[in-house]
Every structure is written in C-alpha cells, then in structure tokens.
Amino acid sequence: MNPADISVVIPTLNEAATIKNAVGSAIDAGAAEIIVCDGGSVDQTIEMATDAGASKIIRSVPGRGIQLNAGAVFASREVVLFLHADNRLGPSCLQQICEVPDVVWGAFMQRIDHSRFAYRLIEKGNAARVRFRGMAFGDQAIFVRRDTYKKVGGFEEIELMEDVAFSRTMRAIAKPVLLPGPVTISARRWEQRGIVGQTLQNWNLQCRYRFGASPRQLAKRYR
C-alpha cells in the first residue's frame, strides 16, 4: 500500500477560511483521492476546495455523521481517512499508515496550533485516550480500512458524538493504532471558551453521552 491507496474525506460547512489548507495538506501527504462533502455552505467553501485540488465535491444535508458517510460512499481506495476541515495532515501521515502491518483503524497524535504549554498537556492527554481507552476523536483524523468501515455500517448519523460512537464500535473489533502524525489542529475552540472551560465542557459532554443523554440534547448544549 502507498499513500495513493488512501481516500481522504473532509466534511465542510462554511469552512472557506480553512478548507484550502486541509486539502493542500492531504495533497502534500500523497493523497490522490480527496472528497469534500459539503453540508450547505453559504460562503466560498466549495470554490476554495475546488481551487485547492479536491478530487470530488459532494453535497449533502448538514450533520457531520451524515456528511462523513456520504463522502465515504464515493471513496474507492483501500483505506479511508476522515479529516476535519480545520485540521492539517503532516506530510508523512499517509505514509505512516502504509507502514503499519495489517492496519484496521487508528488515529494520529495532534499538534494544537498554539505555543502555550497547556496545549502540550492537552495533546498528551488526547494521545493517552487513544492508547488506553481505545477512543479516538474526529480531530485526530480517524482512518479505517474501507471494507471494515462498510461492515460496521459507517458512522452513526447523529448530531454530535459520532466519533465516540464509532470508536466504541471499532475498539470491539481491533485496538486503534496511534501514529505520530502530527495532525495540526486549530486552537480556536479553546481560545474562544478558555482552555479550562472548553476541556470541562468536553468531559461533561462525554460523561452525559456515556450515561444516556441523546446526541440532539448534547448538540444543543454544545452550541
């Protein structure tokens, strides 16, 4: 397998400011098939994605789980990688996947795009979550063999926590591989809400979901 054997799916909704960097990072990493699935952007997202070199632009109803599945329908490669529009793959990310024998699924270590030391701690905590709990989040660029993805039925088409639900399903099949990456992610959520506030909110949402709160209720709280 080589990087061209990996499809990259990017869900978007009004991501004109970030989509060029996301698509460009996938191209630089060696992706030959980049599928952008747009949920109804009213800005220049689609034009920007096209200009950046996306292979296919798919239109979908909004909702990350819905968009991820809609994009994956058009994926033709051996492995599918799901990349958030405000994330960037490191240049060796796809090659790292290719070097894992019998890869089933996994994710990457992160680099939060900010120099504050507190973000280094968050990065380590997120990596530990994958290693010890088998729980990968979407902003770690989850990847999975396409045949396995189809077998489990893809992502749940819910308003929030689709990555948590997917990880729960997948960790029963195989332990996730955590690769060094890095995937560079925006610090905008933490900067808007504060590091402590955003982290506590993330923990709160996970706990509520684990104990039965509906994704719709959680999505309203998150927004």
Side-chain angles (χ1 to χ4, degrees):
M1 188 169 68
N2 61 65
D5 294 319
I6 301 171
S7 300
V8 177
V9 173
I10 309 175
T12 56
L13 183 61
N14 298 323
E15 293 286 359
T18 62
I19 187 61
K20 272 196 170 185
N21 287 335
V23 172
S25 75
I27 292 172
D28 290 344
E33 183 172 71
I34 303 167
I35 302 162
V36 171
C37 187
D38 189 72
S41 294
V42 296
D43 62 5
Q44 299 298 307
T45 295
I46 291 175
E47 291 83 355
M48 293 288 190
T50 302
D51 290 346
S55 313
K56 302 171 185 175
I57 307 292
I58 309 302
R59 289 171 172 81
S60 165
V61 296
R64 185 168 281 158
I66 296 172
Q67 291 174 240
L68 293 170
N69 287 338
V73 166
F74 293 88
S76 63
R77 303 307 204 260
E78 189 174 348
V79 171
V80 185
L81 182 148
F82 299 95
L83 181 68
H84 285 189
D86 61 349
N87 295 177
R88 303 191 305 276
L89 293 174
S92 68
C93 281
L94 301 190
Q95 183 59 42
Q96 291 171 23
I97 297 173
C98 298
E99 293 171 359
V100 178
D102 302 318
V103 63
V104 178
W105 78 293
F108 294 95
M109 295 183 69
Q110 298 165 312
R111 177 72 182 181
I112 300 172
D113 197 9
H114 200 289
S115 61
R116 289 180 66 179
F117 177 73
Y119 289 118
R120 308 292 79 80
L121 300 178
I122 292 172
E123 294 162 0
K124 290 181 183 299
N126 290 347
R129 174 174 26 80
V130 179
R131 287 194 183 102
F132 300 114
R133 292 178 53 204
M135 182 65 64
F137 286 178
D139 60 3
Q140 291 174 286
I142 294 172
F143 54 87
V144 59
R145 295 191 72 87
R146 187 162 59 95
D147 55 358
T148 304
Y149 170 86
K150 288 183 175 181
K151 187 181 297 182
V152 302
F155 288 88
E156 288 189 34
E157 296 188 345
I158 52 182
E159 295 187 40
L160 196 68
M161 298 292 175
E162 78 291 332
D163 48 1
V164 173
F166 186 74
S167 289
R168 285 180 177 177
T169 298
M170 289 301 303
R171 70 185 181 187
I173 297 172
K175 183 178 179 179
V177 175
L178 180 65
L179 298 178
V183 172
T184 300
I185 69 174
S186 170
R188 63 183 179 180
R189 288 177 300 160
W190 290 282
E191 291 298 294
Q192 288 169 355
R193 297 177 178 174
I195 292 176
V196 174
Q198 180 65 47
T199 301
L200 290 176
Q201 183 189 53
N202 290 346
W203 290 350
N204 178 265
L205 291 171
Q206 291 175 59
C207 288
R208 288 168 62 86
Y209 179 63
R210 182 176 183 180
F211 289 105
S214 76
R216 177 167 293 183
Q217 291 174 329
L218 295 177
K220 289 179 180 178
R221 186 180 180 89
Y222 183 75
R223 296 189 188 106

